Amino acid sequence: MSIAADRLSDPAVRAFVTAVNANDQQAFRAALAPGATMSDDGTDRALGEWADREIFSSHGRMDVESEDDGGRSLTALYSNDTWGAMRTRWTFTVEDGKVSRFETGQA
């Protein structure tokens, strides 16, 4: 059973997931703190390039299965046109109501 994006506990994470699922690049950028960083499977990536490839040009979608750490740690079924669906984990660092870093990888 999944958790609807609008029911996620942390407002910054909620905005992030909502933007991903709406394929809304403007809302995605608005959810991020200036200079936000990220890693994928333990390797730091250029966030803009990664988001374009893994989310926006490939229609990425997060179906959140569970949340921990006050909503800043998620397990989700992530799917896109490139890789299909896979179970993933996401951890978020939030500063001043924006995501300043996220780390994702296979769960």
Side-chain angles (χ1 to χ4, degrees):
M1 184 148 150
S2 63
I3 302 169
D6 65 357
R7 309 276 316 220
L8 294 172
S9 299
D10 187 278
V13 173
R14 185 182 323 127
F16 179 98
V17 174
T18 299
V20 167
N21 289 349
N23 205 27
D24 186 335
Q25 294 182 51
Q26 186 173 359
F28 180 80
R29 286 191 298 274
L32 300 173
T37 61
M38 60 87 54
S39 72
D40 185 0
D41 282 327
T43 302
D44 276 17
R45 306 282 185 194
L47 194 156
E49 293 174 15
W50 182 91
D52 183 57
R53 181 179 65 252
E54 299 293 336
I55 300 171
F56 299 109
S57 66
S58 62
H59 307 103
R61 179 154 182 84
M62 295 174 72
D63 183 16
V64 178
E65 297 176 348
S66 64
E67 63 176 358
D68 287 304
D69 192 28
R72 294 188 179 176
S73 179
L74 306 178
T75 300
L77 186 65
Y78 186 79
S79 58
N80 68 22
D81 293 347
T82 303
W83 305 107
M86 67 183 81
R87 240 172 137 240
T88 55
R89 60 173 169 65
W90 299 75
T91 56
F92 297 88
T93 303
V94 176
E95 296 174 12
D96 297 324
K98 303 276 185 177
V99 173
S100 61
R101 179 169 177 82
F102 67 92
E103 299 175 11
T104 186
Q106 291 193 51

